[in-house]
Amino acid sequence: MVAIGRNEGERFRRCVESLAGIDAPKVYVDSSSTDDSVELAQQNGLEVVELNLSTPFTAGRARNEGFARLLQIAPDTEYIIFLDGDCSIEPGWVETALAAFAHDPQLAITCGRRRELHPEASLYNQLCDLEWDTPIGEAAACGGDFIARRQAFEAVGGFDPAVIAGEEPEMCFRLRSAGWSIQRLDHAMTAHDADMHRFGQYWQRSVRCGHAYAQGFALHGASDERYYHREIRSLLAWGLGIPLLVVALAFWQPLLAGLLLLAYPLMWLKIYRSERRRAPQFPRRVIACHALFLLLGKFAQLAGAAKYLRTRLQRGEFRIIEYK
């Protein structure tokens, strides 16, 4: 098992406590925490890897180094549990996931239902809980919590340490391209604590998403799958194209400019209806806010994509974008 974290505090304590019943070697990769995360991990029998931050930190790099250390202490490992330090494992998840691997030799990754630990604490936590509720069955990608088949993970070289956001979908793309599959199982997997209480945090999270789209597009956009083409077109259209057209038309066709602005409420309605069909168990208020924030997020995603492009043109170092 490989867990990663940085200053997760009480969230990491819950994470460690959830591992007590799992009979497997455990590695914790810490990224210069200033709290007691390292001491807590050591006290609970976890092998600790402290990243040297002279090289820019990324979650992919942390997981790769954790995996390498895991193989040093348990060279016969066949499956790796990857876990973010702000998550705790749900009872029965590991057994369910391992059973799925036994029935499908081409299965590279299993993931399940990640839920928010405190959805009632803020609207933003509720929005995350809605986001985690993805369809059951074959999937294109996983999130930060999953179990991987070692053979598949090694076959594609693990995570790309240069990818600062969206590292899981990027690796999953390479796995699928190599003939492996990813499955989301109908089972509770982890409890996550987003601890998000401000719009600025949600905005920064969307900026990170836009950076992931841009970097993923640069890496694999020319593939047959046209990786992230749709997402890039969407953020350019809604975050840049329509606003520019509205400004241009406002000087000589103000009525047409006003009509063009109606595209936003119409798109909100389309997203709202789609999300209502996908997740009818969530309150309408939450779905309505989710639809609104997905639209507002296009502007944040545009900022993230621009950040990626600027750093690349300046030949700078890509650095992780945090929202906590």
Side-chain angles (χ1 to χ4, degrees):
M1 188 226 73
V2 174
I4 65 171
R6 180 174 183 268
N7 289 331
E8 294 294 352
E10 187 60 30
R11 293 183 293 270
F12 184 57
R13 185 175 301 278
R14 286 193 296 266
C15 174
V16 171
E17 289 173 353
S18 75
L19 303 177
I22 298 176
D23 183 19
K26 304 175 182 71
V27 175
Y28 169 61
V29 184
D30 186 81
S31 303
S32 293
S33 290
T34 56
D35 62 8
D36 64 348
S37 294
V38 170
E39 292 79 5
L40 178 62
Q42 291 171 335
Q43 290 168 6
N44 285 273
L46 277 69
E47 185 78 14
V48 174
V49 175
E50 296 187 68
L51 288 186
N52 179 351
L53 294 191
S54 61
T55 301
F57 161 72
T58 66
R61 177 192 163 208
R63 294 189 186 110
N64 284 347
E65 293 199 20
F67 172 69
R69 182 60 183 141
L70 179 65
L71 292 192
Q72 290 177 352
I73 61 177
D76 296 330
T77 296
E78 294 185 44
Y79 302 100
I80 315 102
I81 305 167
F82 286 99
L83 186 65
D84 287 345
D86 57 0
C87 295
S88 54
I89 289 182
E90 299 278 25
W93 160 242
V94 174
E95 294 80 4
T96 299
L98 293 179
F101 282 113
H103 290 93
D104 185 353
Q106 290 305 114
L107 183 58
I109 285 176
T110 57
C111 52
R113 172 69 162 101
R114 176 193 262 195
R115 66 178 179 86
E116 273 305 307
L117 185 64
H118 298 298
E120 76 290 345
S122 74
L123 170 63
Y124 305 103
N125 284 3
Q126 290 178 303
L127 295 178
C128 285
D129 200 40
L130 174 59
E131 181 183 323
W132 306 144
D133 193 17
T134 55
I136 302 298
E138 189 164 353
C142 65
D145 307 329
F146 61 95
I147 300 181
R149 189 188 297 271
R150 173 185 173 178
Q151 179 188 356
F153 186 79
E154 290 183 320
V156 298
F159 288 97
D160 183 339
V163 175
I164 70 164
E167 67 279 356
E168 304 96 347
E170 191 279 330
M171 183 185 68
C172 288
F173 167 81
R174 289 184 281 116
L175 283 166
R176 290 185 288 102
S177 298
W180 297 95
S181 65
I182 296 100
Q183 287 281 336
R184 187 194 168 213
L185 307 178
D186 188 12
H187 195 284
M189 178 180 62
T190 53
H192 175 263
D193 188 2
D195 194 28
M196 197 162 21
H197 303 275
R198 303 185 308 277
F199 178 75
Q201 291 175 289
Y202 187 90
W203 179 271
Q204 192 72 350
R205 189 168 178 265
S206 297
V207 169
R208 186 176 66 181
C209 182
H211 194 289
Y213 290 157
Q215 190 171 19
F217 177 81
L219 288 170
H220 306 300
S223 65
D224 291 341
E225 184 178 308
R226 297 169 62 83
Y227 187 68
Y228 281 156
H229 272 243
R230 180 174 176 272
E231 289 79 3
I232 292 294
R233 287 198 306 268
S234 179
L235 70 86
L236 287 175
W238 295 98
L240 182 64
I242 294 178
L244 286 179
L245 275 175
V246 169
V247 171
L249 288 171
F251 292 99
W252 58 281
Q253 288 286 352
L255 179 59
L256 186 56
L259 289 174
L260 190 56
L261 283 175
L262 290 176
Y264 288 96
L266 289 174
M267 177 53 72
W268 172 87
L269 183 60
K270 179 181 178 181
I271 296 172
Y272 173 78
R273 287 177 172 175
S274 174
E275 292 297 276
R276 279 283 294 162
R277 289 192 297 269
R278 182 182 72 83
Q281 71 275 23
F282 284 85
R284 294 189 180 189
R285 178 186 66 89
V286 173
I287 295 177
C289 289
H290 181 58
L292 174 61
F293 282 18
L294 283 178
L295 270 178
L296 292 176
K298 299 299 180 184
F299 299 98
Q301 289 172 11
L302 180 67
K307 180 179 178 68
Y308 165 78
L309 183 60
R310 182 172 62 253
T311 304
R312 182 174 178 180
L313 290 175
Q314 294 174 347
R315 300 181 183 276
E317 289 185 335
F318 297 114
R319 295 189 176 275
I320 193 168
I321 301 171
E322 297 180 298
Y323 70 89
K324 288 186 182 179

